[in-house]
Amino acid sequence: MKVALFIPCYIDALYPKVGIATLELLERLGVEVDYPLNQTCCGQPLGNEGDQKNAAAAERLFVDNFKGYDYIVGPAGSCVKHVRHHLDAIEQTTDVQSVRKNTYELVEFLHDILKLRDFSNVTFSHRVAVHNSCSSIRGLQLASCSEVMGPRWNKTEALLERVKGLELVHIDRPDECCGFGGTFAVTDEAVSAKMGLDKVRDYERHGIEYVVSPDMSCLMHQEGVSKMQQMPIQFVHIAQVLNQGPF
Amino acid sequence: MSTTKVKVAENAAKFIQQDDIHEKLHDQNLWNVRMRRDTVASAIPEWEELRTLASRIKEHTLTHLDEYVLQFADNAEKRGIKVHWASTAEDHNRIVYEILASHQVKRLVKSKSMLQEECHMAPYLEKRGITLTETDLGERIQQLSGQDPSHIVMPAIHQTKEDIAKLFAEKIGTDPNKVDANYLTEAMRNNARPKFLEAEATMTGANFAIAETGSFVVCTNEGNADLGAAIAPLHIASIGIEKMVPKVEDMGVFIRLLSRSAVGTAATQYTSHFSGPRKGTEMHIILTDHGRSHRLGLEDFWSSLKCIRCGACMNTCPVYRRSGGLSYGATYSGPIGIILDPSYDEDKYSELPFHSSLCGSCTEVCPVRIDIAEQIVKWRKVMSAKKKLPVGLRLAFGVTGTVFKYPWVFRTAEAAGKWALKFAPDALIYNKTLNAWGRQRKLPEFADQTFRDWYLKNRNKEPKA
Ligand code: SF4
């Protein structure tokens, strides 16, 4: 199995520990991982804003870097969702199509491809709320969404369920958007910040110590709001929990 | 109509910042409606199939719309209903006025109709000497406030009980200290009753128009449409041509979905089928296009015509709940507004598609499965291609595009960003984007080394090129 590690730009610069945790975790699980060194960004921030011309260049580079691998794994739901569903500013060659199909978010890869559930060798003794991003839920079906009637599932929680000492808590509005939304966070500052504030207050009401997520971009926003309010809540990526660090 | 660009983000900020009450209540009340919707929907095992069926019926009807509209008009005429055709809002309003004038109508009661809102009918008629009374409680509140409806089902949801108590005290003489909902509703009921009796004509909209029978269906919770239609000698209904459904039996799908999606009840209190004039009275319908056939021709946006105006997408929208409907400056607000409004005026509503976190919740609640979130992204693409991106975004993305295109520029930018964040004091962040981030959120700290640097050191590999 040829696996490439996709470290989105903001994780590279702001959250290298998440990248390290992801790499170490995969290696520990016996996966051989390559890290293509010329990667930058999947083009999501551009595509989301409707800027197809600029997105195309980023997308072309993405495919050049990642073609030929069996799986491309990235610890970031929204970026993976973009690659899978919206990498369409360029011509859809077979390379492009297979890169799109083979790109997985980390939780998906662990849950669906490696079919792992039992992380009982990991200890994390905290009150934890899981935050699955909107892209992860509604774009990647990482968890069932509350709007749709029918079976319920949550792959992120399934991986955490057997972690020793970890107490999973559900907040009042578990899958309400936290207001990050990429550039929306700055172009619509007031609404975005209010949504973030409502989200962290929901954690606070439930005595949450750690928010665990497969998506750092939401956490960057939530943590920013929480710190501004001087709340003691910690925000970590699921790779950091399952790899027992680095924090 | 003015074409000044609606600054929706700014308006929303004002809605949030006005006090600690309005936005909080607005969010909570609408969230509660969404929760009630979840509860009643989950009690129906075939809920998701119903949505699919509703979507298919609408898609079928819209792709055969010419046939169904003609069938409906024929059958309606056979029932003694007078059918009028309006291609524009102006046509619609003129026809209404001509009918009213030919019957010497001075006083008109009307129930809720979003189409009449679209056409800005009320001011048109008032200018011509017609006294018009909204009979839906929420619409009446908005009429007395001099505001547009802020929600398509709950037009005054952005107002608190206290606001309404104050308004009623001023306008209909209630006790300003009594904020009890029952008291206020009763007061309005008493105020409205005589107006029903005096009115020489009534107007309604229609939720559905049934092609095979030529009858139309009006759903209300207050019975105001029925009362109006039962008393006045003249009934005019405004019907958008997209309201068609082929058969009566289709109501078994739509009625089950409508009120559950809208307010979380099994059905509206009143579901009335109007099938022709009462003896000695007249019934007119105005089949109105007002942009619908144009939209039907838009490949990316035609399916928005499936909308049954339930408002579920608004109730679930986290951005709408924090913004208040008036911020959108349009007849339709919230997710459905974002995808409908620009088809009327791309300049005026160019910022609407950007007022979304793209969470996608709207798409999942929509009872007729309109891919609302996808259409929001497509409208962004339209605005971007036509250079209607908000200026801030245009600048930011021109630069970002260049940065992501070339790995080495990206590395340099990363380094520069790191430098700037390290040395700029928190209060003096050098650029506007970061400022907008930093007012209410702490900035993340750039790490001492990037993942890539760490990797090169710790996995001991040389860069390839
Ligand atoms: S778009 Fe869908 S959810 Fe929104 S009002 Fe229309 S039918 Fe209801």
Side-chain angles (χ1 to χ4, degrees), chain B residues 213-384:
Chain B
T213 60
S215 54
F216 58 95
V217 179
V218 179
C219 304
T220 73
N221 278 314
E222 299 168 26
N224 55 316
D226 310 79
L227 186 58
I231 299 174
L234 172 63
H235 177 179
I236 308 172
S238 308
I239 306 180
I241 54 171
E242 89 287 11
K243 294 285 176 195
M244 299 300 137
V245 293
K247 297 179 170 183
V248 180
E249 68 182 42
D250 299 330
M251 288 297 96
V253 174
F254 289 102
I255 297 298
R256 291 183 82 195
L257 286 168
L258 179 61
S259 190
R260 285 187 171 88
S261 301
V263 288
T265 61
T268 42
Q269 298 289 335
Y270 299 86
T271 301
S272 303
H273 292 242
F274 289 98
S275 319
R278 286 176 286 117
K279 243 204 191 95
T281 69
E282 280 183 32
M283 183 178 276
H284 295 246
I285 57 181
I286 306 172
L287 287 169
T288 308
D289 185 333
H290 190 219
R292 283 154 178 77
S293 45
H294 163 70
R295 206 177 308 138
L296 195 55
L298 299 176
E299 198 190 335
D300 287 339
F301 306 114
W302 72 274
S303 70
S304 63
L305 288 165
K306 292 192 288 182
C307 176
I308 57 171
R309 306 287 191 265
C310 72
C313 56
M314 309 167 87
N315 305 342
T316 202
C317 177
V319 175
Y320 170 81
R321 275 189 262 113
R322 270 81 175 191
S323 302
L326 297 179
S327 297
Y328 296 74
T331 306
Y332 298 103
S333 50
I336 182 61
I338 293 180
I339 62 171
L340 290 185
D341 300 325
S343 79
Y344 289 109
D345 191 334
E346 282 183 14
D347 285 320
K348 184 171 179 184
Y349 301 120
S350 62
E351 289 192 4
L352 261 49
F354 299 91
H355 192 59
S356 164
S357 62
L358 296 181
C359 76
S361 184
C362 46
T363 301
E364 308 293 351
V365 293
C366 178
V368 288
R369 295 196 185 276
I370 300 172
D371 54 345
I372 309 172
E374 294 288 317
Q375 292 192 30
I376 294 175
V377 174
K378 286 175 182 163
W379 272 116
R380 287 185 179 188
K381 288 181 183 169
V382 171
M383 299 307 172
S384 173

Side-chain angles (χ1 to χ4, degrees), chain B residues 45-65:
Chain B
E46 69 275 24
W47 180 258
E48 298 303 327
E49 284 89 322
L50 269 182
R51 291 175 64 214
T52 305
L53 200 54
S55 167
R56 293 221 183 115
I57 295 171
K58 279 285 183 181
E59 281 179 8
H60 164 80
T61 317
L62 288 167
T63 48
H64 301 77
L65 194 56

Side-chain angles (χ1 to χ4, degrees), chain B residues 21-46:
Chain B
I21 299 164
H22 282 82
E23 178 271 333
K24 199 171 159 203
L25 260 179
H26 188 258
D27 169 63
Q28 192 58 49
N29 287 338
L30 289 170
W31 177 257
N32 294 343
V33 177
R34 158 72 210 283
M35 290 293 101
R36 284 203 298 276
R37 172 256 176 214
D38 287 8
T39 308
V40 295
S42 68
I44 295 192
E46 69 275 24

Side-chain angles (χ1 to χ4, degrees), chain A residues 7-54:
Chain A
I7 297 298
C9 43
Y10 71 95
I11 292 194
D12 186 49
L14 300 173
Y15 302 106
K17 285 173 184 162
V18 172
I20 297 167
T22 306
L23 178 66
E24 287 181 352
L25 177 66
L26 289 171
E27 287 174 342
R28 185 188 313 237
L29 293 167
V31 181
E32 232 181 89
V33 189
D34 258 4
Y35 173 67
L37 285 161
N38 268 335
Q39 56 181 294
T40 58
C41 164
C42 60
Q44 186 201 192
L46 306 153
N48 271 354
E49 301 308 326
D51 185 351
Q52 291 298 84
K53 204 176 97 233
N54 283 318

